[in-house]
């Protein structure tokens, strides 16, 4: 029996028991209302830790250091994050600075540097301003209701924070999974500039924790696209401190199934909000591919469609050019039969058996004007189903990124 999962009102990364967070503005980013650029997240108890990271051949030393401290045999207590500077492509100084950031945070929080993780996001090729880190990390005072501060501290070009928490009960004990994410541009994860931090008070076996996160990332963060570019700093972390008590969740029972579903719901929500908040975006695009030979085929085809620049511009221009959808699905190079494909825009069928059918063009144009546009492709060759999310591509994206550092 599947255990019910409930939404936590105003849920965030500190909704799970035993987690506190906070942030401060140090001046790494340009000033602005409510801006913060250094965040700390800490657990009262040691945590099992799982993570997935950027597969870019060039990665930030913060990614290298943090990934070395993540594993089934590792325990962590805290994370320090800065926004406004990626600490990437700066030579050995990047490693030195990343280590010092963990040392500064550990001193402030009363933990060890070895159980402290570090993440950075922002402009590539710029060294971390360590004078600001030394001055302002000691000014961050994490608190139980500090999740929103932490969420604000990790933003770069984002227009809004991305936060959520859900809960489920096992044997009378409530277990919570919370999280925050950031990302708006350079989004095409492969585990974009994206970071996500998730927490749980469930008592989870470390191997099952990593298995659960990896499975959730495959169906969430790895299925979003804004601009086709993969960051050097991507990281998704899941910390489990066991503060809720109860038996160890290790797979093969209702509690494990509920935990996996809760983590997936959190990750998908955070991922979708990244796609919705794409730089210059006016519409969220959801792509559903069903009837594929396998789930992996469906996931690949849906992601190709969501990331297609021609599909993105067609949605922006409200152009019912279904040929672009076919092209994008086809370039996934999966096994299909063109003569069996059906295609829909917001549930309005525009293609049947691989050919255009009579439909009211104005009704489709109107559907493409919605804030959320759903493209559904049924390949009718199997039972595989996959979903991906993206956004439209607008003039504002080009203008913004043509002067990103100036």
């Amino acid at each position: 029996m599947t255990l019910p999962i409930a939404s936590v009102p105003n849920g965030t990364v500190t909704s799970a028991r035993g987690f506190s967070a906070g942030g401060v503005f140090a001046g790494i980013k340009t000033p602005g209302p409510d801006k913060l650029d250094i965040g700390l997240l800490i657990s009262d108890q040691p945590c099992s830790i799982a993570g997935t990271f950027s597969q870019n051949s060039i990665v930030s030393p913060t990614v290298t250091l943090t990934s070395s401290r993540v594993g089934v045999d590792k325990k962590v207590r805290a994370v320090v994050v800065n926004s406004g500077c990626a600490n990437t492509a700066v030579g050995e100084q990047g490693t030195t600075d990343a280590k010092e950031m963990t040392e500064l945070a550990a001193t402030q929080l009363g933990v060890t540097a070895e159980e402290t993780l570090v993440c950075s996001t922002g402009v590539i090729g710029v060294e971390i301003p360590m004078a600001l880190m030394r001055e302002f990390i000691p000014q961050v005072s994490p608190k139980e209701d500090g999740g929103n501060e932490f969420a604000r501290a990790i933003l770069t070009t984002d227009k809004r924070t991305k936060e959520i928490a859900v809960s489920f009960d096992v044997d009378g004990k409530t277990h919570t999974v919370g999280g925050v994410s950031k990302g708006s541009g350079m989004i095409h994860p492969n585990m974009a500039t994206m970071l996500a931090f998730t927490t749980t008070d469930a008592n989870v076996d470390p191997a099952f924790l990593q298995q659960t996160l990896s499975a959730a990332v495959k169906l969430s963060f790895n299925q979003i696209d804004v601009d086709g570019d993969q960051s050097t700093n991507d990281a998704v972390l899941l910390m489990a401190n066991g503060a809720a008590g109860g038996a160890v969740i290790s797979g093969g029972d209702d509690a494990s199934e509920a935990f996996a579903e809760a983590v997936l719901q959190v990750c998908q929500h955070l991922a979708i909000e990244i796609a919705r908040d794409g730089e210059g975006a006016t519409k969220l695009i959801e792509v559903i591919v069903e009837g594929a030979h396998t789930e992996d085929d469906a996931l690949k085809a849906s992601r190709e469609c969501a990331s297609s620049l021609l599909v993105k511009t067609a949605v922006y221009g409200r152009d019912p050019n279904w040929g672009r959808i076919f092209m994008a699905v086809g370039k996934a190079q999966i096994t299909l039969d063109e003569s069996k494909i059906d295609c829909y825009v917001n549930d309005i069928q525009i293609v049947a058996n691989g050919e255009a059918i009579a439909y009211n063009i104005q009704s489709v144009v109107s559907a493409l004007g919605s804030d959320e546009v759903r493209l559904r492709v049924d390949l009718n060759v199997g039972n595989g189903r996959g979903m991906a999310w993206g956004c439209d591509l607008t003039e504002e994206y080009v203008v913004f990124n043509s002067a990103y550092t100036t």
Side-chain angles (χ1 to χ4, degrees), residues 58-242:
I58 296 175
V59 296
S60 169
T62 57
V63 171
T64 303
L65 179 61
T66 290
S67 62
S68 73
R69 295 178 179 178
V70 170
V72 295
D73 58 342
K74 305 291 178 64
K75 293 287 186 180
V76 302
R77 288 284 305 278
V79 183
V80 55
V81 189
N82 77 275
S83 56
C85 176
N87 190 32
T88 302
V90 292
E92 287 300 316
Q93 190 63 43
T95 300
T96 299
D97 292 344
K99 289 180 178 178
E100 186 179 353
M101 283 179 65
T102 66
E103 292 163 0
L104 291 167
T107 298
Q108 170 66 0
L109 299 173
V111 300
T112 69
E114 289 69 27
E115 56 187 359
T116 303
L117 309 180
V118 57
C119 294
S120 300
T121 180
V123 179
I124 294 170
V126 179
E127 290 185 8
I128 291 281
M130 290 307 298
L132 295 179
M133 294 295 173
R134 297 178 191 116
E135 178 180 357
F136 285 96
I137 287 178
Q139 295 185 28
V140 183
S141 299
K143 45 192 180 295
E144 291 182 1
D145 62 353
N148 180 256
E149 280 190 12
F150 184 82
R152 285 158 49 205
I154 67 177
L155 303 181
T156 50
T157 60
D158 310 62
K159 296 185 289 290
R160 53 184 172 268
T161 60
K162 302 153 182 72
E163 306 171 71
I164 187 179
V166 300
S167 65
F168 60 96
D169 292 340
V170 179
D171 297 330
K173 298 182 184 297
T174 299
H175 298 66
T176 301
V177 179
V180 299
S181 67
K182 66 81 52 183
S184 186
M186 203 181 283
I187 303 294
H188 190 77
N190 185 22
M191 2 192 177
T193 301
M194 68 146 286
L195 299 175
F197 305 93
T198 53
T199 58
T200 183
D201 49 24
N203 185 7
V204 188
D205 171 76
F208 185 69
L209 191 72
Q210 182 64 60
Q211 174 188 327
T212 299
L213 180 64
S214 296
V217 166
K218 177 181 178 180
L219 300 178
S220 58
F221 297 112
N222 276 355
Q223 288 297 110
I224 59 174
D225 176 273
V226 170
D227 47 24
D229 283 321
Q230 175 194 347
S231 170
T232 57
N233 288 58
D234 299 337
V236 181
L237 300 174
L238 173 57
M239 303 168 67
N241 65 11

